[in-house]
Amino acid sequence: MRDIVNGLLLQRESILLAHRSPARSSYPDTWSFPGGHVEDGETLQEALVRELDEEIGVLPTSWRQLDSFTYNSGKANFHFFAVDHWQGKLTNLGDEHSELRWVNLGVAHEMPKLTFPIYTDIFAALFQS
C-alpha cells in the first residue's frame, strides 16, 4: 500500500489549491493539494517537508495532521496536513501542476473538478475551526 501526503497550506481564511496538469497520468486536470508519495524509509512528516519543497519551494515550519483516507481498494492511503507557517517564496515548480490558487475556505467546496469528493468535508472542518 502506498502512502501519499498532502500539504494544505492555510493563509487567513484561504487554502492553497493546485491544479494537476492535464498531462498527468493520475487524476489529470483536477484540483488537489501539493504533495506526493512517501519514499521508502521516510516518515509522513519527512515526506511532507520534501514534497512541499520540491513542488512549491516552501519549507513547512508548523503543521498538524488532519484526516487520512484509503482509496482504490486499499492501494493508497492519503494523509492530510494543515500547514500554518512556512518559509520561502511560494512558486509552482516543475510540471506537476499547471496552476496554484488561493481559494477562500467558505467557497472551496464549489471548485470544479476536485480530485476527491472527501475534500469538501476537509474544507468544512477547516472552515469551522
Side-chain angles (χ1 to χ4, degrees):
M1 179 175 318
R2 295 209 67 145
D3 284 301
I4 298 167
V5 294
N6 292 270
L8 285 63
L9 276 69
L10 302 170
Q11 181 174 273
R12 296 180 203 91
E13 293 184 13
S14 295
I15 189 165
L16 182 72
L17 293 179
H19 185 255
R20 295 176 62 84
S21 296
R24 298 287 308 268
S25 61
S26 299
Y27 318 110
D29 196 29
T30 61
W31 287 94
S32 188
F33 311 103
H37 295 107
V38 177
E39 294 179 358
D40 289 339
E42 268 186 327
T43 66
L44 296 177
Q45 293 78 12
E46 290 168 339
L48 176 70
V49 169
R50 178 184 51 76
E51 286 287 348
L52 292 183
D53 180 43
E54 289 175 358
E55 290 188 11
I56 60 173
V58 300
L59 174 67
T61 57
S62 173
W63 65 82
R64 67 188 186 282
Q65 188 163 1
L66 299 171
D67 207 358
S68 296
F69 81 95
T70 302
Y71 183 72
N72 202 4
S73 301
K75 293 181 181 175
N77 283 326
F78 288 79
H79 307 275
F80 299 96
F81 293 84
V83 179
D84 305 305
H85 296 91
W86 57 89
Q87 295 175 342
K89 184 179 183 223
L90 186 67
T91 307
N92 188 15
L93 301 172
D95 60 358
E96 291 191 32
H97 303 108
S98 59
E99 180 183 351
L100 300 175
R101 183 185 300 178
W102 288 105
V103 178
N104 182 283
L105 275 170
V107 297
H109 66 279
E110 297 173 2
M111 287 293 291
K113 297 184 178 182
L114 291 172
T115 303
F116 295 111
I118 195 170
Y119 289 176
T120 58
D121 297 336
I122 294 169
F123 296 145
L126 288 169
F127 186 68
Q128 294 171 358
S129 63

